[in-house]
Amino acid sequence: QVQLVESGGGLVQAGGSLRLSCKASGTIFSIYTMGWYRRAPGKQREVVATITNTGSITYAASAKGRFTISRDDSKNTVYLQMNSLKPEDTAAYYCNRQQYMERGLTDFWGQGTQVTVSS
């Protein structure tokens, strides 16, 4: 199994910045995709950004130009730097890791960290 622990959420004013961290532990393999997802009240979960072990990165349109995903494999940690935050970025942010386990491609999720952006 893989455990994911997020940190870095909080309350920030519009235009401010936050940096989320997600540390993975447990049965870690070198081939993976990690990403950040978010769920706002009354809305479905949506992807924010993903990064693979090869460094391939994708962003949601809403995140492009404002958010940066990065990784530190020596620490099994993925980061999400969020700049120019807007009230509509308010959501619970979840870390995800996909990797192949004995049973196949498996998703693991963190417990979530709340980001609240005030106007």
Side-chain angles (χ1 to χ4, degrees):
Q1 293 300 307
V2 174
Q3 295 78 44
L4 302 174
V5 178
E6 302 112 331
S7 61
L11 173 64
V12 65
Q13 288 189 331
S17 298
L18 284 174
R19 188 193 195 205
L20 306 183
S21 299
C22 173
K23 183 174 178 59
S25 62
T27 307
I28 302 297
F29 296 124
S30 60
I31 299 175
Y32 65 85
T33 299
M34 289 191 72
W36 289 95
Y37 292 71
R38 68 186 184 187
R39 177 177 285 152
K43 295 186 177 181
Q44 291 191 334
R45 185 177 62 200
E46 61 178 2
V47 61
V48 177
T50 64
I51 187 168
T52 70
N53 59 286
T54 62
S56 179
I57 290 173
T58 64
Y59 291 104
S62 59
K64 283 182 181 178
R66 300 188 300 128
F67 296 0
T68 302
I69 190 170
S70 61
R71 75 190 199 281
D72 184 340
D73 286 339
S74 69
K75 297 180 180 179
N76 293 323
T77 299
V78 170
Y79 306 95
L80 185 69
Q81 177 67 43
M82 303 187 293
N83 299 328
S84 303
L85 282 162
K86 305 174 182 180
E88 50 264 44
D89 294 318
T90 296
Y93 283 71
Y94 297 90
C95 178
N96 169 269
R97 183 179 178 100
Q98 269 190 354
Q99 64 180 45
Y100 280 95
M101 307 293 283
E102 285 188 2
R103 57 184 178 272
L105 188 62
T106 304
D107 282 289
F108 299 95
W109 294 93
Q111 81 285 355
T113 185
Q114 179 66 35
V115 171
T116 302
V117 184
S118 64
S119 57

